[in-house]
């Protein structure tokens, strides 16, 4: 996950990670310089959904599944809560992962809502056709609705700025391979 990838980068056990651009912003706020050098997606693809709750404001006091604490799914949830007049601690968070564990958490009613991506979301929708989509960033329209912009960089390759400056050719080749 993104939080573990960031931890590996900051701890020095890897030079480059694939993660959400949000982490570079988070680290900049802490005075740590990271540089994203290739974007892979225009839209985050994150969806806040619930089997029974139809409005974000009605999540107060509920348990919401995110992939892991500090992950982009967690940051997305916190952003949505604040954007809808709530605080991050108005909900309880549960770590549910992103694939089979996330599907199980939702379909077995372990969480009241969850931030998911496809294909796990598609599996849940098939099993629970009445699912409520509370926020959807899989399309330009959805990104515009949630963030007020046409595109939002999500999955990127990033590294410490010093590594990118010392390894410009390697970074260029990695960016080229991803672009192809």
């Amino acid at each position: 996950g993104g939080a573990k990838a960031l931890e590996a980068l900051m701890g020095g056990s890897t030079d480059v990670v694939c993660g959400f651009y949000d982490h570079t912003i988070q680290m900049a706020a802490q005075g740590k310089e990271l540089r994203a050098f290739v974007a892979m997606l225009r839209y985050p693809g994150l969806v806040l959904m619930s089997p029974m709750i139809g409005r974000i404001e009605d999540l107060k006091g509920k348990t919401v599944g995110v992939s892991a604490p500090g992950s982009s799914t967690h940051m997305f949830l916190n952003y949505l809560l604040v954007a809808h007049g709530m605080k991050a601690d108005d909900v309880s968070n549960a770590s549910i992962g992103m694939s089979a564990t996330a599907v199980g958490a939702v379909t077995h009613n372990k969480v009241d809502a969850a931030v998911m991506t496809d294909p796990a979301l598609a599996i849940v929708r098939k099993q629970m056709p009445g699912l409520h989509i509370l926020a959807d960033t899989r399309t330009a329209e959805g990104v515009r609705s949630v963030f007020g912009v046409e595109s939002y960089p999500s999955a990127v390759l990033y590294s410490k700025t010093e590594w990118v400056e010392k390894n410009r050719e390697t970074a260029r080749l990695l960016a080229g391979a991803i672009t192809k």
Side-chain angles (χ1 to χ4, degrees):
K4 289 291 186 187
L6 176 59
E7 185 180 304
L9 178 68
M10 298 314 290
S13 62
T14 189
D15 293 320
V16 176
V17 298
C18 173
F20 264 44
Y21 186 69
D22 303 348
H23 288 121
T24 66
I25 297 167
Q26 176 188 14
M27 290 291 98
Q30 296 176 19
K32 296 183 171 86
E33 291 188 34
L34 298 180
R35 183 171 301 166
F37 56 91
V38 64
M40 293 178 248
L41 299 172
R42 291 183 300 170
Y43 316 125
L46 301 174
V47 176
L48 175 62
M49 48 67 55
S50 174
M52 300 184 322
I53 297 167
R55 296 178 336 127
I56 293 172
E57 294 82 359
D58 295 332
L59 292 173
K60 190 169 189 166
K62 304 295 185 192
T63 301
V64 182
V66 296
S67 59
S71 65
S72 290
T73 60
H74 191 195
M75 286 187 248
F76 179 64
L77 172 63
N78 289 345
Y79 170 80
L80 290 170
L81 293 171
V82 170
H84 287 264
M86 300 168 66
K87 296 180 295 215
D89 61 2
D90 282 343
V91 302
S92 296
N93 295 297
S95 295
I96 62 170
M98 291 295 290
S99 54
T101 54
V103 171
V106 174
T107 59
H108 291 96
N109 300 312
K110 301 294 183 191
V111 294
D112 299 301
V115 177
M116 300 183 81
T117 60
D118 284 319
L121 176 64
I123 294 167
V124 171
R125 287 188 89 171
K126 195 176 251 185
Q127 294 180 27
M128 305 175 94
L131 205 62
H132 299 280
I133 302 297
L134 308 178
D136 187 345
T137 64
R138 294 177 292 176
T139 64
E141 181 182 7
V143 168
R144 192 176 320 106
S145 174
V146 172
F147 296 116
V149 295
E150 293 299 314
S151 66
Y152 186 96
S154 51
V156 298
L157 289 185
Y158 68 88
S159 183
K160 294 179 180 176
T161 299
E162 64 190 54
W163 184 91
V164 174
E165 290 174 356
K166 288 179 184 174
N167 298 278
R168 289 185 184 277
E169 181 64 9
T170 301
R172 186 188 70 74
L173 290 168
L174 282 169
I178 292 296
T179 301
K180 283 183 183 180

